[in-house]
Amino acid sequence: MARRARRILPGFGLSLGLSWLYLGLLVLLPLSGLFLKTFTLTWEHFWETVASPRALAAYQLTFGASVVAALANAVFGLLVAWVLVRYRFPGKSLVDALVDLPFALPTAVAGLTLTSLYASTGWYGRYLEAAGIKVAYSSIGIVVALTFIGLPFVVRTVQPVLEEIDADVEEAAATLGATPWQTFTRIIFPSILPALLSGFTLALARAIGEYGSVVFISGNMPMRTEIVPLLIITKLEQYDYAGATALAVVMLTVSFGLLLAINLLQRWAQRRFEVRPG
């Protein structure tokens, strides 16, 4: 008679029940309250709030800047992870620690620092504005802030996968006549694609909901540099709680749809490029 494998944690039923209870109290219950508050609006009032020109401009800026920042992090985060894994150089531990700095730094501090750097009198801003590039108080500044806070997600997701790929694989491919580009596109990239998509998803999710680092550098001009989280705060300050929850429901729905689509794409890539024995 086969003996049942002993588990370190409690059995499946108890673990699943505790997981649902934890998620219900922390995630499902607050989100349910959000939807219930929105139901106090009439359809006309709801549509007038979520489809106003000011709200549409805020959606476009928030999601557009978030996608651009996540794509930039996917490219440069992969480069940083590659350098940290494949090379040894003085100060490597310091660079490795600096990657995590956006995780620990309060977002308001990051926003103040970036604003002072990219303002017209800042270290970077004075030269960029002389070249005709305005970063602070523009949409470019928002992308800079969202890129700053999203970088660690890509690096820390891709780095362990790169460490598992033996450098001998690259040498074997070179021995068989493959060029460096062919080795990267046909061997390295398919192996790290699922992890890269995970990092992109995490960076995108963080960017969509970011507030503290953006509110200082954006300038908060309606129809131009106003993000949706700031518009929600404005509604709350005007005691329009139902209008604020209506905007939040739209953000939640669109964000969940985006994340679900990217997760499905990640699973497809994992199955498509899975290495099968034999």
Side-chain angles (χ1 to χ4, degrees), residues 19 28 43-44 49 55-56 67 86 117 143 145 151-152 172 197-198 207 211 214 218 224 231 244 251 255 266 273 275:
S19 299
L28 296 180
W43 172 251
E44 289 77 13
T49 301
L56 293 178
V67 170
R86 285 290 189 262
L117 286 175
V143 173
L151 176 65
L197 286 173
S198 295
Y211 174 78
V214 176
S218 66
R224 294 180 59 188
L231 185 55
M251 287 288 289
S255 301
Q266 179 196 356
F273 300 109
V275 178

Coordinates of all heavy atoms in Angstrom, one line a residue, residues 19 28 43-44 49 55-56 67 86 117 143 145 151-152 172 197-198 207 211 214 218 224 231 244 251 255 266 273 275:
S19 N -5.6 30.2 2.3 CA -5.2 31.1 1.2 C -6.4 32.0 0.8 O -6.2 33.2 0.6 CB -4.6 30.3 0.1 OG -3.5 29.6 0.5
L28 N -10.1 40.7 -2.0 CA -11.4 40.7 -2.6 C -12.4 41.6 -1.8 O -13.2 42.3 -2.4 CB -11.9 39.2 -2.5 CG -11.1 38.3 -3.4 CD1 -11.7 36.9 -3.3 CD2 -11.2 38.7 -4.9
W43 N -26.1 55.3 -14.3 CA -25.2 55.1 -15.4 C -24.8 56.4 -16.1 O -23.6 56.5 -16.5 CB -26.0 54.2 -16.4 CG -25.3 54.0 -17.7 CD1 -25.6 54.6 -18.9 CD2 -24.0 53.3 -17.9 NE1 -24.7 54.2 -19.9 CE2 -23.7 53.5 -19.3 CE3 -23.2 52.6 -17.1 CZ2 -22.5 52.9 -19.9 CZ3 -22.0 52.0 -17.7 CH2 -21.7 52.2 -19.0
E44 N -25.7 57.3 -16.2 CA -25.3 58.6 -16.8 C -24.2 59.3 -16.1 O -23.3 59.8 -16.7 CB -26.6 59.5 -16.9 CG -27.6 59.1 -17.9 CD -28.4 57.9 -17.4 OE1 -28.4 57.7 -16.1 OE2 -29.2 57.3 -18.2
T49 N -18.5 60.7 -15.7 CA -17.3 60.8 -14.9 C -16.1 60.1 -15.6 O -15.0 60.6 -15.7 CB -17.5 60.2 -13.5 OG1 -18.5 60.8 -12.8 CG2 -16.2 60.3 -12.7
A55 N -10.7 62.9 -17.9 CA -10.3 61.5 -17.6 C -9.7 60.7 -18.7 O -8.7 60.0 -18.5 CB -11.6 60.8 -17.1
L56 N -10.2 60.9 -19.9 CA -9.6 60.2 -21.1 C -8.1 60.6 -21.3 O -7.3 59.8 -21.6 CB -10.4 60.5 -22.4 CG -11.9 60.0 -22.4 CD1 -12.6 60.4 -23.6 CD2 -11.8 58.5 -22.3
V67 N 3.5 51.9 -20.3 CA 4.0 50.9 -21.2 C 5.3 51.3 -21.7 O 6.2 50.4 -21.9 CB 3.0 50.8 -22.4 CG1 3.6 50.0 -23.6 CG2 1.7 50.2 -22.0
R86 N 27.2 37.9 -16.2 CA 28.3 37.4 -17.1 C 29.6 38.0 -16.9 O 30.6 37.5 -17.4 CB 27.9 37.6 -18.6 CG 26.8 36.7 -19.1 CD 27.3 35.3 -19.2 NE 26.4 34.4 -19.9 CZ 25.6 33.6 -19.3 NH1 25.6 33.5 -18.0 NH2 24.8 32.8 -20.0
L117 N 16.8 67.1 -10.1 CA 17.8 66.8 -11.1 C 17.4 67.3 -12.5 O 18.2 67.8 -13.3 CB 18.0 65.3 -11.2 CG 18.9 64.7 -10.0 CD1 18.9 63.2 -10.2 CD2 20.3 65.2 -10.0
V143 N 7.6 59.5 -17.6 CA 8.3 58.2 -18.1 C 9.6 58.0 -17.3 O 9.9 56.8 -16.9 CB 8.6 58.3 -19.6 CG1 9.3 57.1 -20.0 CG2 7.2 58.4 -20.4
A145 N 10.3 58.9 -14.2 CA 10.0 58.5 -12.9 C 9.5 57.0 -12.8 O 9.9 56.2 -12.0 CB 8.9 59.4 -12.3
L151 N 12.7 49.5 -12.7 CA 13.9 48.8 -13.1 C 14.1 47.5 -12.3 O 14.4 46.4 -12.8 CB 15.1 49.7 -13.0 CG 16.4 49.0 -13.3 CD1 16.5 48.6 -14.8 CD2 17.6 50.0 -13.0
P152 N 14.0 47.5 -10.9 CA 14.4 46.3 -10.2 C 13.5 45.1 -10.5 O 14.0 43.9 -10.4 CB 14.2 46.7 -8.7 CG 14.2 48.2 -8.7 CD 13.7 48.6 -10.0
A172 N 29.6 26.4 -27.0 CA 29.3 25.3 -27.9 C 28.6 25.8 -29.2 O 28.9 25.4 -30.3 CB 28.3 24.3 -27.2
L197 N 9.1 38.5 -19.7 CA 7.6 38.9 -19.7 C 7.1 39.1 -18.3 O 6.3 40.0 -18.0 CB 6.8 37.9 -20.4 CG 7.0 37.9 -21.9 CD1 6.2 36.7 -22.5 CD2 6.4 39.2 -22.5
S198 N 7.6 38.3 -17.3 CA 7.2 38.4 -15.9 C 7.7 39.8 -15.4 O 6.9 40.5 -14.7 CB 7.7 37.3 -15.1 OG 7.1 36.1 -15.4
A207 N 3.9 50.6 -12.4 CA 3.9 52.0 -13.0 C 2.5 52.5 -13.1 O 2.2 53.7 -12.9 CB 4.5 51.9 -14.4
Y211 N 2.1 56.8 -7.8 CA 1.7 58.1 -7.5 C 2.8 59.0 -6.9 O 3.0 60.1 -7.4 CB 0.5 58.1 -6.5 CG 0.0 59.4 -6.0 CD1 -0.8 60.2 -6.8 CD2 0.4 59.9 -4.7 CE1 -1.2 61.5 -6.4 CE2 0.0 61.2 -4.3 CZ -0.8 61.9 -5.1 OH -1.2 63.1 -4.7
V214 N 5.6 60.4 -9.2 CA 5.2 61.1 -10.4 C 4.6 62.4 -10.0 O 4.7 63.4 -10.8 CB 4.1 60.2 -11.1 CG1 3.5 61.0 -12.3 CG2 4.7 58.9 -11.6
S218 N 5.6 65.6 -12.5 CA 4.7 65.8 -13.7 C 4.2 67.2 -13.8 O 3.8 67.6 -14.9 CB 3.5 64.8 -13.5 OG 2.8 65.2 -12.3
R224 N -2.9 67.6 -19.6 CA -1.5 67.6 -20.2 C -0.6 66.6 -19.4 O 0.0 65.7 -20.0 CB -0.9 69.0 -20.2 CG -1.6 70.0 -21.1 CD -1.0 71.3 -21.1 NE 0.4 71.3 -21.5 CZ 1.2 72.3 -21.3 NH1 0.8 73.5 -20.9 NH2 2.5 72.2 -21.7
L231 N -5.9 62.4 -10.4 CA -7.3 62.8 -10.6 C -8.2 62.1 -9.6 O -9.2 62.8 -9.1 CB -7.7 62.3 -12.0 CG -9.1 62.7 -12.5 CD1 -9.3 64.3 -12.4 CD2 -9.4 62.3 -13.9
A244 N -14.7 59.2 -7.6 CA -13.3 58.7 -7.4 C -13.3 57.1 -7.5 O -12.4 56.6 -8.2 CB -12.7 59.1 -6.0
M251 N -9.7 51.9 -13.8 CA -8.3 51.6 -13.7 C -8.1 50.1 -13.4 O -7.3 49.4 -13.9 CB -7.6 52.5 -12.7 CG -7.5 53.9 -13.1 SD -6.2 54.1 -14.3 CE -4.7 53.7 -13.4
S255 N -6.4 47.5 -15.9 CA -5.2 46.9 -15.4 C -5.3 45.4 -15.3 O -4.3 44.7 -15.7 CB -4.8 47.5 -14.1 OG -4.7 48.9 -14.1
Q266 N 2.8 35.1 -21.4 CA 3.9 34.5 -20.7 C 3.8 32.9 -20.6 O 4.8 32.2 -20.9 CB 4.0 35.0 -19.3 CG 5.2 34.4 -18.5 CD 5.0 34.7 -17.0 OE1 4.1 35.4 -16.6 NE2 5.9 34.2 -16.2
F273 N 8.7 27.6 -25.7 CA 10.1 27.5 -25.7 C 10.6 26.6 -24.6 O 11.8 26.6 -24.2 CB 10.8 28.9 -25.5 CG 10.4 29.8 -26.6 CD1 9.6 30.9 -26.4 CD2 10.9 29.6 -27.9 CE1 9.2 31.8 -27.4 CE2 10.6 30.5 -28.9 CZ 9.8 31.6 -28.7
V275 N 12.2 23.6 -22.8 CA 13.1 22.6 -23.3 C 12.7 21.2 -22.8 O 12.5 20.9 -21.6 CB 14.5 22.9 -22.7 CG1 15.5 21.8 -23.1 CG2 15.0 24.2 -23.1

